[in-house]
Amino acid sequence: MVSQLTILGPGLLGGSVGLAARQRKLAQRVVVWARRPEAVDEAVRCGAADAGTTDLREAVRGASAVVFATPVGVMESLADQIREDVAPECFVTDVGSVKYPVVRTLSARFGRFIGAHPMAGSEQTGLSAARVDLFERAVCILTPVECTEPVALQWGHDFWKALGCVVRTMPPTVHDEVVARVSHLPHVVAAAVVNVVAGGDGEALQFAGPGFRDFSRIASGPPEMWTEICMENRDELRRALGKLMEELDRWRVALDNRDVVELRALLRKAKRYRDEWRMRSEG
């Protein structure tokens, strides 16, 4: 348990951290910072924090641990504003879905920083979507680098595990390559497919069933957030899109050639990969 946990940004992830930390008694006191007084009041009212403030520097004074739960693009600016107020022994982590730029930035400003990415998001956003069990059995990837203090890595492991996560560790560059394929690419593909299906007069959507609904769910994610994610991980996402285009070309060639054998092989391979993954993840 830490004496004070400060959460910067009580949205879906930040709010869920606060709810879970308070329920599991991971801190004597949970404080949130938000730009709007209404957001601070809502966080306290819903039980995501004991107290809150719109004063950024005040929020981190006396903190034993700080969680950056803001958009990745503003983390550097926030870090510069509070670096003199965060105690040297204070642990710092984040929830950003892109790690290399975050780790590079925050490691240079906080001695006990450990990058983290809890894979527990949703197409819903905001504090109203926060859940006390959001992190239960979710994978959280920690991204230490050479300058990461061992005590910070251990704290990060213990903290995210205590929130309910299954903790994994990998370098930030490897993380960005992996999530480009398993998270960022699927979002772009879902959005692109929705745009194709709804193109023109959108009549095809009248006939869409549960399969399309399930497949396209993530396309409802907030465009502003996903624009930032795509740009922050642009190089890895471009590489993933290149791999996808190569794969799609195999399907196009099989159709051009009326190659039933190849089509069946592609479908069987995908089914095998997906079934094996599902068995491992649910086992």
Side-chain angles (χ1 to χ4, degrees):
M1 176 185 286
V2 297
S3 58
Q4 179 180 315
L5 171 66
T6 295
I7 301 168
L8 307 181
L12 168 62
L13 294 178
S16 297
V17 169
L19 289 169
R22 294 191 73 221
Q23 184 191 71
R24 297 170 185 237
K25 303 186 186 308
L26 303 185
Q28 295 176 7
R29 184 169 183 257
V30 176
V31 175
V32 298
W33 168 83
R35 297 186 187 278
R36 298 182 298 107
E38 298 83 2
V40 172
D41 293 341
E42 183 184 0
V44 175
R45 186 170 57 252
C46 78
D50 297 293
T53 179
T54 58
D55 186 324
L56 180 62
R57 298 181 64 185
E58 179 63 26
V60 300
R61 290 194 185 111
S64 308
V66 174
V67 178
F68 279 76
T70 62
V72 169
V74 303
M75 288 185 183
E76 182 174 6
S77 172
L78 297 179
D80 284 338
Q81 294 177 62
I82 64 173
R83 63 189 305 180
E84 299 300 325
D85 298 285
V86 174
E89 65 273 15
C90 178
F91 295 106
V92 180
T93 189
D94 76 300
V95 301
S97 63
V98 180
K99 289 270 69 81
Y100 179 72
V102 172
V103 172
R104 183 188 61 213
T105 296
L106 298 192
S107 291
R109 289 160 174 79
F110 306 109
R112 289 187 170 180
F113 171 76
I114 177 64
H117 179 196
M119 307 283 286
S122 163
E123 78 279 6
Q124 299 177 327
T125 59
L127 183 57
S128 61
R131 304 198 324 263
V132 70
D133 63 345
L134 184 70
F135 303 109
E136 195 65 40
R137 298 190 67 187
V139 173
C140 181
I141 303 173
L142 302 184
T143 56
V145 289
E146 288 186 6
C147 66
T148 302
E149 292 190 13
V151 67
L153 177 58
Q154 185 61 56
W155 175 83
H157 181 278
D158 294 344
F159 176 73
W160 287 106
K161 183 178 180 181
L163 288 174
C165 293
V166 177
V167 181
R168 298 287 184 265
T169 303
M170 64 178 63
T173 51
V174 176
H175 165 278
D176 289 354
E177 178 184 0
V178 169
V179 297
R181 296 191 182 196
V182 302
S183 177
H184 306 165
L185 177 65
H187 190 94
V188 169
V189 170
V193 169
V194 170
N195 288 342
V196 169
V197 173
D201 58 13
E203 183 178 354
L205 285 177
Q206 300 177 36
F207 307 98
F212 183 82
R213 182 189 62 229
D214 294 343
F215 168 80
S216 62
R217 175 184 60 81
I218 56 176
S220 291
E224 295 77 12
M225 181 186 79
W226 277 99
T227 298
E228 179 184 70
I229 289 172
C230 290
M231 292 306 296
E232 291 286 352
N233 205 25
R234 183 172 64 95
D235 291 341
E236 292 301 339
L237 180 54
R238 288 178 66 250
R239 275 189 274 273
L241 283 167
K243 291 290 186 182
L244 175 63
M245 291 174 183
E246 292 176 6
E247 177 69 12
L248 289 175
D249 196 53
R250 295 186 183 96
W251 293 73
R252 184 188 60 78
V253 170
L255 289 170
D256 287 346
N257 296 333
R258 301 178 183 271
D259 192 338
V260 175
V261 174
E262 176 66 6
L263 283 173
R264 187 180 297 116
L266 291 169
L267 288 164
R268 284 176 172 170
K269 181 170 68 171
K271 174 176 169 50
R272 184 177 76 253
Y273 285 156
R274 210 256 179 198
D275 289 349
E276 290 174 351
W277 164 76
R278 184 175 179 179
M279 289 179 63
R280 288 195 304 270
S281 63
E282 294 180 354

